[in-house]
Amino acid sequence: MEPAFRPSADVPDPQSVAEKWWSANAEQYLAEHPSLGDVRFQWGPEGWTEEDLQILPAVPGRILEVGAGAAQCSRWLASKGHNVTASDISKGMLSAAELLNEKTGIAFPLIHSSIDAMPFGDSSFDTVFTSFGALSFIPDLGPAFAEVFRVLSPGGLWAYSVTHPFSWVFPDSPYADDLKVIRPYGKREAYVESDRAGTSYAEFPHTLSDHINGLVRAGFAIDDILEPAWPVANAETWGGWGPDRGAMLPSTLIVSARRPAS
Ligand SMILES: C[S@@+](CC[C@H](N)C(=O)[O-])C[C@H]1O[C@@H](n2cnc3c(N)ncnc32)[C@H](O)[C@@H]1O
């Protein structure tokens, strides 16, 4: 069946849709995106790395990656001496992470959990982050932000990257000439793909105000919002992202927010 947009509330059990899709497609996704590397922390399709942007604390601390996928970012952080835990809803992605841990000799805990119900105690981590994980696959950011707030220690950092909210109004094309608004910005309909069994893939657009209000309501103080430019040196396209479109519009939104110290 054709991809379509549908009211978010009409997508039954988004967590189970995500778990099934990412487990069934883990191998193919990783093969299609070799630029993710095995030990590499990339914040988005532009290719900016944590080494370039320095968003997380450099001083070794307790770090949790949520929606980690094959945990390339966690592996890079572990190689720098951080105490890392990686979590994901997809058992298939966690198996891929396990294989890469064996291949690289860099080991850390890999935990099966959804971002909105994590098996960690309160204040367990100094930093929680994700690079394009989890948030696009849940309709409501509120429960996820509340859960991240809970597992962070006071003063801790929550940093994440997502598809830039403006992207959803345009066609999924990497060419600037195709940048014609085709969907209303605030409609918040889920992008869905279906097969005979029902919904096989679902992504949920969130607006900039969904992010900012969701963080504030969960108790976070926002430190910084980044809309990184497409680097001149990156000629690669990745789905609807690429240098042509990237010269006109940001592809990624990166947010850093803090659980207040008291
Ligand atoms: C685009 S990948 C991001 C991982 C990695 N940084 C990358 O770029 O490949 C999205 C990941 O989010 C995970 N995910 C989706 N919904 C989730 C949820 N509710 N809780 C935790 N992880 C989730 C998927 O299983 C997938 O591994």
Side-chain angles (χ1 to χ4, degrees):
M1 276 183 261
E2 284 294 299
F5 279 81
R6 206 195 296 156
S8 296
D10 291 358
V11 179
D13 201 355
Q15 277 88 348
S16 151
V17 171
E19 141 74 349
K20 283 196 193 120
W21 193 91
W22 284 99
S23 289
N25 293 280
E27 215 171 295
Q28 188 183 340
Y29 169 82
L30 293 169
E32 281 173 5
H33 300 297
S35 65
L36 289 170
D38 296 345
V39 187
R40 182 174 157 82
F41 189 152
Q42 187 170 305
W43 276 106
E46 306 84 358
W48 294 113
T49 64
E50 171 57 15
E51 211 155 22
D52 298 323
L53 302 181
Q54 301 189 8
I55 290 168
L56 306 191
V59 182
R62 299 167 303 164
I63 300 187
L64 171 66
E65 181 175 14
V66 291
Q72 300 90 342
C73 303
S74 286
R75 213 163 285 109
W76 183 83
L77 289 166
S79 78
K80 300 287 173 204
H82 292 278
N83 177 355
V84 177
T85 299
S87 65
D88 198 280
I89 201 168
S90 155
K91 288 189 179 162
M93 277 302 216
L94 292 172
S95 300
E98 184 71 62
L99 286 177
L100 288 180
N101 279 6
E102 282 163 20
K103 178 179 164 193
T104 58
I106 303 173
F108 44 84
L110 297 166
I111 307 295
H112 182 229
S113 85
S114 179
I115 185 173
D116 50 8
M118 296 194 274
F120 308 115
D122 297 354
S123 307
S124 299
F125 299 97
D126 307 309
T127 299
V128 180
F129 79 96
T130 186
S131 170
F132 273 78
L135 299 175
S136 298
F137 307 98
I138 52 175
D140 179 7
L141 296 175
F145 286 169
E147 187 66 344
V148 170
F149 188 93
R150 182 185 70 75
V151 303
L152 262 182
S153 56
L157 180 74
W158 166 219
Y160 65 85
S161 60
V162 286
T163 300
H164 197 286
F166 295 166
S167 305
W168 294 99
V169 306
F170 297 110
D172 191 25
S173 159
Y175 304 112
D177 280 353
D178 294 338
L179 291 177
K180 178 176 181 301
V181 174
I182 55 166
R183 267 181 295 278
Y185 175 67
K187 210 159 178 202
R188 297 182 181 80
E189 283 185 331
Y191 167 84
V192 293
E193 293 172 13
S194 309
D195 58 22
R196 282 167 200 276
T199 304
S200 55
Y201 181 87
E203 242 184 286
F204 299 89
H206 304 110
T207 64
L208 200 51
S209 59
D210 291 339
H211 286 277
I212 293 172
N213 294 332
L215 289 165
V216 170
R217 283 178 197 138
F220 285 104
I222 296 169
D223 272 1
D224 203 12
I225 294 199
L226 257 173
E227 298 168 299
W230 195 274
V232 178
N234 185 0
E236 260 184 58
T237 59
W238 175 326
W241 297 298
D244 193 36
R245 175 181 175 143
M248 309 297 281
L249 263 187
S251 309
T252 301
L253 179 76
I254 307 179
V255 177
S256 339
R258 210 164 278 283
R259 174 172 172 164
S262 56

